[in-house]
Amino acid sequence: MHPQPLRRARLRLVAVAAAVLAILAAGLAGAVGAQAAQGCQVDYRVTAQWPGGFTADATVKNLGDPVNGWSLKWTFGAGQRVTQAWNAQTTASGDTITATNANYNAAIATGGSVSFGFNGSWSGSNPVPAAFELNGRACDGTVGEPTTTPTTPPPTGGATAMEQVAAMQPGWNVGNTLDALGGETAWGNPLITEQLLAHVKSQGYNSIRLPVTWEEYMGPGPDYTVDPARMERVAQVVDWALENDLQVLLNVHHDSWMWLNELGTDHDAVLAKYEALWTQIADRFKDHPAGLAFESVNEPQFTGAEGAAGDALTEELNLVFHEIVRGSGGGNDDRLLVLPTLVTNADQPRLDALKATIDGLDDPMVAATIHFYGFWPFSVNIAGFTTYNAEVEADLIGTFQRVNDTFVDAGIPVIMGEWAVLNYDHNRPGVHQSGELLKFFEAAEFQARDKDVTTMLWDAGQFLNRSTLQWRDQHMYEYFASGVTTRSGTASFDSVYLPGSGAITAKSLTLNRNGLQFTGLWQGSTKLAEGTDYTVSGDTLTLTAAALTRLAGNRAYGVNAQLEARFSAGVPWRIKIVTADAPVLSNATGPSASFAIPTQFKGDTLATMEARYADGTNAGTATWTPYQEFWSNFRPDYAAGTLILTPEFLAAVTDGQPVTLTFHFYSGATATYTITESGGTVTGTA
């Protein structure tokens, strides 16, 4: 019999944050940053003005030491008011306005700048404000008296598990690095540096998950000694993160499928190795502060054991891990320990099994972890799931609801240790439609806030370029950053397609307000005129024929203009005005190892591909659906003007049997093509 588990009270994130602040204020983990010299200049410009309204941009240049968190204050001299802002949050006290940073633009390096903009109202006159203050110091072009800036270090003890996990939000994975096989740089990422971790902190992240694969650095049994150099390298990265006010979740990573998966077939040897590994990790880090947490194993999986049998083996590893760490003394007595479900799956039976394990442990400093990459067909673009549709949304909402109902409502914190979508990579363009991907990310972050789940973005280099410390898609990062605290409005699609010739007619999109107010359409700093350029009826946004004709310009194929649908909060929704005609495919013959269809895309972009034999049965690697998986079976090369059929797809095609391919494009156009493979040669006919 297990002892009766402790009753845990549910804490909302707001209460959690308040509790953490109270703990810090009490001196358990207080710190004050080094004094910094301050100075700044502000370039304030009214970029557009009309009767009763105006648009202004403000660029703040930091002349002093680096700033992490800013507040710009000014006073209007003629009764102006801010009605909507972007890239900053604004509050007003009479004529005095205070603009504070968004999560994604809090850091301003020495000599660096940050910009934000707003819409305002005015009457009579609209003079430029006479003075500005940045963090309480006049922006007069000089560098003046130093100030002290409080920092919020990781917990050093005293916080509950719920409080500590809440303070980890949001988190970021240093993926494909210390977990890479063959060395830290073997999978294409540079060495982890303190500069990288400081940058991650400056981008609004409060924790990192540090995946580590240990197998290649362990000696033979019975001791299974970890190479001291490896252990100290891991410790160096952990220490750098903690010094930069990042909590750390350290784990045992690809070992899960390299040797731990044989627990059911080679039980005693595998368990002895696992025990030896965690004994060494626990001993090395037992004196580290509470900001370091341990995760027993990444995605536990076992040869020949699924379902309940796999749950039982997962529980065995989790219990052994818990016993070793708790028995190692020092800070490990009450260190946060994080336990996964089988394969970190969030199906209800997996959650129930882990809940039973945690209840049995009766340990208040334990958290649950799962992973989430969304509805699988959408996540990889297969079976025709190219958009964030009702099924994708239902899967997302259901996942967060289950983990909330099972764990959070019972007072057990949840860390979504990895989340993103599968197959998204900067080297694989086009797998996901950009706007539909942003909808998915926006919704996931909202559910995380609503269901009190801490999330850790899986980044193996596809989001943050670690060589340049720049986001590969800045707009996508703005969604990540904004989504931590607020929703963003979206629309039914992010593109309006127009023909290359002939009459242009009005086009409509459906607004997804997400609880916000729609405030208008903009092209750069120019606000479009409601009634003339667009109309709104309910949630239907209609762009007029006259506006689209103007925006299309010379109607060259591709994107001719970009608009922003702005809402009362969050990141504006981008709408591309695209000129496109039906793509044209041409006949071709070539080897199956490198077959490509000559294609005139004519401004359109590829969504998916169907493949069927003459009798209607499915052709290709996926026989359960005619819609094959993007990239692994087919991929566009827009620069070269080709549609590539991969060797993997062609190897799955029956020799000598014609296959009809139907290419679907995001404009709604389709193109049909027939291929026949025979003896390693492919013949294609449009």
Side-chain angles (χ1 to χ4, degrees):
M1 294 286 293
H2 294 301
Q4 180 66 25
L6 292 177
R7 295 181 61 84
R8 299 176 173 92
R10 183 182 187 191
L11 298 176
R12 300 297 295 180
L13 282 177
V14 171
V16 168
V20 172
L21 290 174
I23 290 169
L24 298 179
L28 291 176
V32 176
Q35 290 187 329
Q38 288 187 320
C40 51
Q41 289 178 325
V42 174
D43 181 12
Y44 177 98
R45 299 184 181 184
V46 175
T47 58
Q49 184 168 298
W50 57 95
F54 70 101
T55 300
D57 290 335
T59 299
V60 184
K61 183 175 183 180
N62 179 27
L63 304 178
D65 288 343
V67 168
N68 191 5
W70 53 267
S71 175
L72 187 72
K73 182 181 291 187
W74 70 91
T75 300
F76 281 127
Q80 304 101 310
R81 293 291 183 265
V82 173
T83 57
Q84 178 205 12
W86 48 94
N87 296 332
Q89 297 176 348
T90 60
T91 58
S93 177
D95 292 335
T96 300
I97 309 297
T98 302
T100 56
N101 63 271
N103 288 335
Y104 53 86
N105 62 3
I108 318 177
T110 301
S113 299
V114 66
S115 297
F116 65 93
F118 61 87
N119 292 330
S121 61
W122 66 283
S123 61
S125 63
N126 186 19
V128 172
F132 296 86
E133 289 184 357
L134 180 69
N135 293 348
R137 210 273 176 189
C139 286
D140 56 6
T142 66
V143 178
E145 294 296 323
T147 60
T148 57
T149 303
T151 63
T152 304
T156 58
T160 67
M162 192 72 83
E163 291 164 353
Q164 182 169 343
V165 169
M168 297 169 82
Q169 173 72 349
W172 181 80
N173 275 268
V174 198
N176 283 17
T177 312
L178 284 173
D179 56 317
L181 305 185
E184 191 171 339
T185 62
W187 288 358
N189 284 310
L191 294 171
I192 300 170
T193 63
E194 186 172 13
Q195 181 187 17
L196 167 66
L197 299 176
H199 181 73
V200 169
K201 177 65 178 179
S202 77
Q203 298 299 286
Y205 290 94
N206 290 315
S207 62
I208 63 165
R209 181 169 178 258
L210 187 61
V212 180
T213 301
W214 302 87
E215 162 68 7
E216 295 178 321
Y217 302 89
M218 297 179 70
D223 295 331
Y224 300 106
T225 302
V226 175
D227 181 352
R230 175 65 164 184
M231 187 70 80
E232 292 315 302
R233 172 57 176 160
V234 173
Q236 181 184 49
V237 174
V238 169
D239 291 343
W240 282 342
L242 294 174
E243 289 165 4
N244 281 279
D245 299 340
L246 288 164
Q247 290 197 62
V248 181
L249 180 58
L250 176 64
N251 78 354
V252 170
H253 204 74
H254 291 307
D255 305 82
S256 61
W257 55 261
M258 296 178 71
W259 54 276
L260 278 166
N261 58 326
E262 297 300 329
L263 180 64
T265 56
D266 191 13
H267 180 274
D268 292 350
V270 170
L271 193 62
K273 188 173 182 177
Y274 181 73
E275 290 173 338
L277 176 56
W278 266 114
T279 297
Q280 293 173 79
I281 298 172
D283 183 67
R284 175 61 183 83
F285 292 102
K286 66 182 179 182
D287 295 324
H288 270 63
L292 172 64
F294 292 150
E295 176 187 6
S296 61
V297 60
N298 171 70
E299 298 182 353
Q301 52 200 272
F302 307 99
T303 303
E306 299 178 355
D311 291 333
L313 292 173
T314 301
E315 179 177 52
E316 183 173 14
L317 289 182
N318 282 335
L319 293 178
V320 167
F321 159 76
H322 182 272
E323 181 180 10
I324 289 171
V325 176
R326 285 290 182 254
S328 61
N332 292 339
D333 287 345
D334 57 359
R335 186 177 307 284
L336 179 68
L337 303 183
V338 180
L339 307 182
T341 60
L342 175 65
V343 203
T344 54
N345 180 273
D347 290 344
Q348 193 61 53
R350 309 289 76 78
L351 303 179
D352 290 340
L354 180 59
K355 174 65 160 49
T357 300
I358 294 176
D359 284 346
L361 287 172
D362 195 17
D363 183 339
M365 288 303 294
V366 170
T369 185
I370 53 98
H371 292 174
F372 181 65
Y373 288 95
F375 188 58
W376 178 71
F378 171 75
S379 193
V380 303
N381 190 342
I382 194 173
F385 284 87
T386 61
T387 63
Y388 180 70
N389 66 10
E391 290 174 270
V392 180
E393 183 175 55
D395 176 81
L396 186 152
I397 293 173
T399 297
F400 281 92
Q401 190 67 58
R402 288 193 301 275
V403 298
N404 176 272
D405 293 349
T406 306
F407 294 113
V408 179
D409 275 347
I412 302 168
V414 175
I415 298 174
M416 189 172 280
E418 295 180 14
W419 82 281
V421 288
L422 301 170
N423 281 6
Y424 178 82
D425 195 292
H426 64 285
N427 291 317
R428 294 183 176 185
V431 174
H432 305 92
Q433 203 279 336
S434 58
E436 301 305 297
L437 190 58
L438 292 178
K439 290 183 200 175
F440 173 85
F441 289 151
E442 193 279 336
E445 289 197 291
F446 167 69
Q447 290 297 322
R449 293 198 314 278
D450 189 60
K451 303 302 186 297
D452 293 348
V453 175
T454 286
T455 58
M456 292 182 157
L457 180 70
W458 176 257
D459 191 350
Q462 72 270 40
F463 296 116
L464 178 64
N465 185 329
R466 298 185 204 164
S467 297
T468 64
L469 299 185
Q470 293 178 323
W471 295 97
R472 297 186 190 278
D473 186 331
Q474 179 66 27
H475 187 59
M476 182 179 292
Y477 164 68
E478 289 169 4
Y479 269 82
F480 289 145
S482 176
V484 175
T485 57
T486 189
R487 295 218 70 171
S488 292
T490 67
S492 52
F493 204 54
D494 73 351
S495 300
V496 172
Y497 284 91
L498 305 174
S501 61
I504 291 177
T505 59
K507 301 288 184 181
S508 296
L509 298 169
T510 301
L511 295 174
N512 305 317
R513 300 174 191 265
N514 293 333
L516 305 173
Q517 293 181 346
F518 172 71
T519 60
L521 273 184
W522 295 75
Q523 184 183 19
S525 61
T526 301
K527 185 176 184 180
L528 273 64
E530 186 172 1
T532 303
D533 295 324
Y534 69 93
T535 61
V536 179
S537 177
D539 288 331
T540 301
L541 169 68
T542 301
L543 287 157
T544 66
L548 289 172
T549 300
R550 182 182 75 249
L551 294 167
N554 63 5
R555 297 170 79 169
Y557 287 139
V559 178
N560 300 132
Q562 181 171 274
L563 307 179
E564 285 187 349
R566 295 181 181 173
F567 297 82
S568 54
V571 180
W573 178 253
R574 291 180 174 176
I575 301 171
K576 297 184 286 290
I577 308 301
V578 183
T579 296
D581 285 325
V584 176
L585 282 58
S586 300
N587 298 346
T589 301
S592 57
S594 58
F595 182 73
I597 303 169
T599 304
Q600 299 175 52
F601 288 97
K602 296 193 172 184
D604 219 335
T605 52
L606 182 65
T608 187
M609 180 191 80
E610 293 181 82
R612 288 186 173 93
Y613 293 111
D615 63 1
T617 57
N618 302 327
T621 60
T623 57
W624 56 276
T625 175
Y627 292 91
Q628 299 300 294
E629 184 176 336
F630 201 114
W631 198 265
S632 63
N633 285 259
F634 65 95
R635 64 189 69 154
D637 186 335
Y638 296 106
T642 58
L643 282 170
I644 298 167
L645 301 181
T646 67
E648 292 81 359
F649 170 76
L650 293 169
V653 170
T654 302
D655 207 58
Q657 288 198 26
V659 176
T660 298
L661 307 177
T662 303
F663 293 97
H664 295 259
F665 297 84
Y666 281 110
S667 70
T670 60
T672 302
Y673 197 81
T674 301
I675 62 163
T676 304
E677 183 180 25
S678 179
T681 297
V682 181
T683 301
T685 305

